[in-house]
Amino acid sequence: MTSPSVTSTKPQAAAAAVRPALAALSTPGHDTGLLLLRLVLGLTMAAHGAQKLFGWFGGGGISGTGQFFTASGYPAGDAMAVLAGLTETLGGLGLALGLLTPLAGAAIVGTLINAIAVHGAGSFFAPKGIEYELLLTAGAAALALTGPGRYAVDRFLPVLRGHRLADGALAVALGVVLAVAMLLVRD
């Protein structure tokens, strides 16, 4: 029979043995790479959202983007423009900051699934292909699944400090389900 003190230290010893392995996965190079990916992908998507919402960077603004959504078969084109613009802007800024990363990544995934469906899969490569949208989708899903790394606002939120794969997978699944729901309202 083992004493309670010996039994209680076994889980602690096992946890201590796992910590170095986990720490090796989160190196400064790994975290810097995730930061670079988050900044480029997030700010790119935020700029796309600003095109839709404000007409910045040569965008159509709400009315121009709304006309595009209407022509693409979505009901209430202006409302869809606002929804897409907010999703891209807030999701992009969330990724760039590493704030609510699984949800921010899922928002981008959902938006880009719709972009791929509207754009069509006539070919893979630009100018009429889906390579750009697919790359952004994969990057956003990867960030949702891996977490933001050490250099992120999520590190200061107790509930998100220890990112779990299940959280990212659930968020990506939510993004896919909502994207499909939006596609179902198209004519």
Side-chain angles (χ1 to χ4, degrees):
M1 182 173 197
T2 60
S3 71
S5 64
V6 172
T7 305
S8 66
T9 58
K10 284 184 181 180
Q12 292 170 351
V18 170
R19 274 190 218 112
L22 292 176
L25 293 175
S26 183
T27 65
H30 176 260
D31 294 321
T32 303
L34 288 172
L35 174 64
L36 176 64
L37 178 59
R38 284 193 353 257
L39 286 173
V40 171
L41 197 151
L43 293 176
T44 297
M45 290 309 302
H48 275 281
Q51 286 180 308
K52 290 173 179 64
L53 291 174
F54 311 115
W56 295 353
F57 313 114
I62 292 173
S63 67
T65 305
Q67 290 171 5
F68 169 79
F69 274 108
T70 300
S72 298
Y74 288 94
D78 286 353
M80 294 302 294
V82 170
L83 180 63
L86 286 173
T87 302
E88 290 178 4
T89 302
L90 297 177
L93 292 175
L95 281 180
L97 294 170
L99 175 63
L100 304 174
T101 305
L103 292 176
I108 299 303
V109 166
T111 300
L112 287 166
I113 287 172
N114 273 266
I116 290 169
V118 168
H119 197 287
S123 69
F124 182 76
F125 294 105
K128 296 184 186 251
I130 60 167
E131 64 180 320
Y132 176 68
E133 292 88 352
L134 188 60
L135 183 62
L136 292 173
T137 305
L143 286 168
L145 294 171
T146 62
R150 261 188 270 188
Y151 312 127
V153 175
D154 282 353
R155 299 276 297 171
F156 300 103
L157 303 174
V159 73
L160 292 173
R161 187 174 297 136
H163 181 79
R164 293 187 269 312
L165 174 61
D167 297 339
L170 184 61
V172 169
L174 176 65
V176 170
V177 167
L178 291 174
V180 169
M182 293 308 301
L183 288 171
L184 291 175
V185 302
R186 275 180 73 202
D187 290 335

